[in-house]
Amino acid sequence: MATIQVLLDESGAIVGTTQGPDSASGESAPEQVGLVAGPGQQLVEVEVADALLEGSPAELHTHLRTNLLG
């Protein structure tokens, strides 16, 4: 299972998703990455099967809309 961040707009539509790196390495590697919600937006973290992250973004968004976000 993987934890991802999902950014939703005012109507609950998915604006974007991100998954932080498991481990950063090297001098220029970021310590942490993530999304920031703007006015009227909401940021949620959800767990998804690793296999979902191997497919297309469209497949992931469809799965999130139907199974996780209601």
Side-chain angles (χ1 to χ4, degrees):
M1 297 293 277
T3 301
I4 63 171
Q5 293 180 326
V6 182
L7 183 62
L8 307 170
D9 68 10
E10 297 169 339
S11 67
I14 298 171
V15 175
T17 60
T18 190
Q19 177 186 15
D22 291 333
S23 61
S25 61
E27 290 181 26
S28 62
E31 290 185 24
Q32 185 175 0
V33 296
L35 298 172
V36 176
Q41 296 177 332
Q42 179 182 10
L43 185 64
V44 296
E45 287 192 355
V46 296
E47 285 191 357
V48 296
D50 292 329
L52 282 172
L53 300 178
E54 296 172 6
S56 72
E59 292 170 335
L60 174 61
H61 286 202
T62 298
H63 174 80
L64 290 172
R65 279 193 304 272
T66 58
N67 297 305
L68 301 175
L69 301 175

